[in-house]
Amino acid sequence: MKIQKSAEDYLETILILFQRKGNVHAIDIANELSFSKPSVSVAMKNLKENGYITINESNEITLTESGRSIAEMIYERHTLLSQWLTTLGVPAEIAAEDACKMEHVISPESFDAIKKHAQKYAPTFQQKGDVLSC
């Protein structure tokens, strides 16, 4: 099933917030993305209905296996593309903005080729760091 860019961004944000804080609530997502609480609530309802997240009685949001898989894929794409662009001399802020766009449209084949190239020519290339909100 094809998932929309906005849903991918929400899942990625949930992953990042969970890594940062250990738990995630809708207000955390709203604050991180500078979105309204009602907009985030609608998005969380849709993600829950599609099986990407669960929400417990304390309103904590957790990624399901499929949600985590998508979030980790988008996060890996973002961090690698952003770092790769900066190693090519692109200013960090522009690299992060471009990575936000590229992470959603690049094919798995092209991403794998970039990843292999980056690792071949920079074996110490690290995929770490926090993602700037797209």
Side-chain angles (χ1 to χ4, degrees):
M1 170 158 78
K2 180 73 174 134
I3 183 169
Q4 293 184 342
K5 175 192 177 304
S6 61
E8 290 176 341
D9 286 339
Y10 277 114
L11 294 172
E12 180 184 26
T13 300
I14 293 166
L15 176 68
I16 292 164
L17 289 170
F18 181 79
Q19 291 173 345
R20 195 186 297 159
K21 297 177 50 166
N23 59 54
V24 181
H25 293 88
I27 192 66
D28 301 320
I29 298 165
N31 291 338
E32 182 74 13
L33 297 175
S34 299
F35 290 168
S36 72
K37 178 82 165 63
S39 294
V40 172
S41 293
V42 168
M44 294 307 104
K45 179 180 179 268
N46 291 334
L47 290 174
K48 182 179 178 184
E49 287 175 357
N50 287 303
Y52 297 118
I53 64 168
T54 60
I55 304 173
N56 70 15
E57 61 281 349
S58 300
N59 291 319
E60 291 179 341
I61 299 165
T62 305
L63 294 168
T64 63
E65 187 175 324
S66 61
R68 177 171 287 282
S69 176
I70 293 166
E72 288 174 346
M73 175 195 66
I74 294 299
Y75 183 74
E76 177 188 31
R77 287 179 174 199
H78 184 96
T79 55
L80 188 137
L81 291 169
S82 182
Q83 291 176 6
W84 181 62
L85 290 169
T86 58
T87 63
L88 295 175
V90 177
E93 187 173 313
I94 293 170
E97 289 174 16
D98 288 346
C100 280
K101 298 169 192 166
M102 295 167 63
E103 68 193 24
H104 301 286
V105 297
I106 193 168
S107 70
E109 296 82 4
S110 292
F111 178 74
D112 287 343
I114 290 170
K115 183 177 176 179
K116 286 177 187 169
H117 178 81
Q119 291 171 339
K120 179 179 179 182
Y121 291 99
T124 59
F125 197 81
Q126 297 294 317
Q127 295 178 51
K128 62 179 180 180
D130 220 359
V131 176
L132 299 175
S133 297
C134 294

